[in-house]
Amino acid sequence: MDTIASLFSFITTPVSWVIVQFHTVYGAIFGPDTGWAWGLSIVSLVILIRICLIPLFVKQIKATRAMQTLQPEMKKIQERYKNDKQRQSEEMMKLYKESGTNPLSSCLPILAQSPFFFALYHVLNGIASGTTIGVINESLLASARKAHIFGAPLAAKFKDGSATVQALGATVTDVRVVTALMIILMSASQFYTQRQLMTKNVDTTVKTPFMQQQKMLMYVFPVMFAVFGINFPVGVLVYWLTTNVWTMGQQMYVIHNNPTPGSKAQAAYLERLTKHVTHHGKVSRRSEKAIIKAIVAKGRDRNEFERKFINGLTKAGLAAQADGSVVQSEGQAVAQTEDGATTTTTATAAKRQQPKRQSKSQRQSGGPKQAGEAASSMSLEKSDEPEDAKPAPAKNAPQKPGNGTRSRAQSGQRKGGPQRPKSPSKK
């Protein structure tokens, strides 16, 4: 470890200078020789480093999203070359190269802060050995050696013997109890962070090398922290415990506000977003608009949770727009009540009621009128006509036999005129 730390000695001076500046501030509050002054200086160093690494973390999130979008293609490659692992790996690497993604992008924050970690280890190891390093002079070295965190010296290690620990003004029991608790908390926080990523923020329906990598890191990193932690000084354990807690909180924030598509975290987020949008009728946050815009742009490629979100907005009378905003749909309108509250009423109720479809007999009779009404209207129209206006029947017009004239026509009698004499019989 000392050999590796010496490789990053070029950054030792800046790290020691930052620690001294923070120690000056906290020393004025808690005292220059206290563990609070030196411990909070290390914590502040971690926070400063992680703030500087936020752009890199954003790049990591984008790379992770790109890996998620490639999962359908990865699944096709797995199914196509399931019996040829070598060809499967070649096609995967070809896909990574064409899309410009890197499956190791999730390790970027750890790799980026490694130089600071080894530089801090080099500084604390110099304090333990009584050697000035960087901008830490003799007076600061003596103050740091007096600092104790919960009874454990800042430069003490779990494996230090009783002679070394007594020289730092502590006991072996205090050192081992404090370091053991820090190692357990450090490993547990790392495991929880990785497990939270695997169980909530990853689409587990697709098995890809990226998934296998994340699963491996979930178990490998805690073991690494536990093994190497017994060789870390207390100050380095404070550094790693702080950075793990920061990573855990940062990961929780991302999962809560910008989950991976297709994950359980996205289902929970879209459920909360549906309740918020249906209650307020609009979207106010820029991040929410960006997510809705991405969902609308997917079209038919939406996953189950995104389709459920769009259907929930439709049922509430809302419609998601291409720019990420939400507006009232055409089927609903918002009306103001007298007390100023808004009530939503359906516009379909105000539409003109369509007439009922007529039956075939009604269409043949000229409409849905009743037979009595039709007959009365016809009689009224006939009665209004004058007698002179009625056309006279033609002279030779055939008469339709009725009930009363049928017998006369059969007997040879004329209707209303002189009767034709019967022809004499041939007798």
Side-chain angles (χ1 to χ4, degrees), residues 258-410:
N258 192 15
T260 301
S263 62
K264 294 181 180 179
Q266 189 195 31
Y269 175 82
L270 292 180
E271 185 177 355
R272 295 192 305 268
L273 184 59
T274 302
K275 293 180 180 179
H276 174 76
V277 174
T278 53
H279 179 71
H280 296 281
K282 62 179 181 178
V283 182
S284 55
R285 297 177 60 181
R286 185 179 300 177
S287 59
E288 294 175 350
K289 289 184 178 180
I291 291 178
I292 295 176
K293 181 179 179 180
I295 292 175
V296 173
K298 286 185 178 180
R300 294 183 179 180
D301 295 333
R302 301 185 188 109
N303 57 43
E304 177 185 357
F305 309 128
E306 293 166 348
R307 288 193 297 267
K308 185 177 179 182
F309 170 72
I310 296 297
N311 293 336
L313 294 181
T314 303
K315 290 180 181 179
L318 301 172
Q321 303 299 306
D323 60 349
S325 61
V326 174
V327 298
Q328 293 286 336
S329 61
E330 296 179 358
Q332 296 205 354
V334 178
Q336 289 283 344
T337 58
E338 294 180 357
D339 56 353
T342 58
T343 57
T344 306
T345 58
T346 57
T348 55
K351 291 183 178 180
R352 180 175 60 86
Q353 186 176 3
Q354 298 292 335
K356 295 182 179 179
R357 183 179 180 85
Q358 298 178 355
S359 63
K360 183 177 180 180
S361 60
Q362 289 175 342
R363 291 196 299 271
Q364 290 178 352
S365 63
K369 293 183 179 180
Q370 300 293 333
E373 295 178 359
S376 60
S377 61
M378 292 293 293
S379 61
L380 289 174
E381 291 176 1
K382 289 183 179 180
S383 62
D384 292 339
E385 294 180 359
E387 293 291 336
D388 297 339
K390 292 181 181 180
K395 186 176 181 180
N396 297 326
Q399 297 292 332
K400 292 182 180 181
N403 294 334
T405 61
R406 183 174 181 81
S407 62
R408 295 178 185 177
Q410 289 178 354

Side-chain angles (χ1 to χ4, degrees), residues 183-184 186-187 220-232:
I183 291 171
I184 292 173
M186 184 173 60
S187 301
V220 170
F221 277 157
V223 174
M224 288 177 58
F225 282 125
V227 171
F228 291 108
I230 60 177
N231 295 314
F232 291 161

Side-chain angles (χ1 to χ4, degrees), residues 135-156:
V135 298
I136 297 179
N137 52 27
E138 293 290 343
S139 61
L140 291 174
L141 179 62
S143 175
R145 291 175 65 86
K146 295 177 183 178
H148 289 65
I149 298 177
F150 300 109
L154 196 68

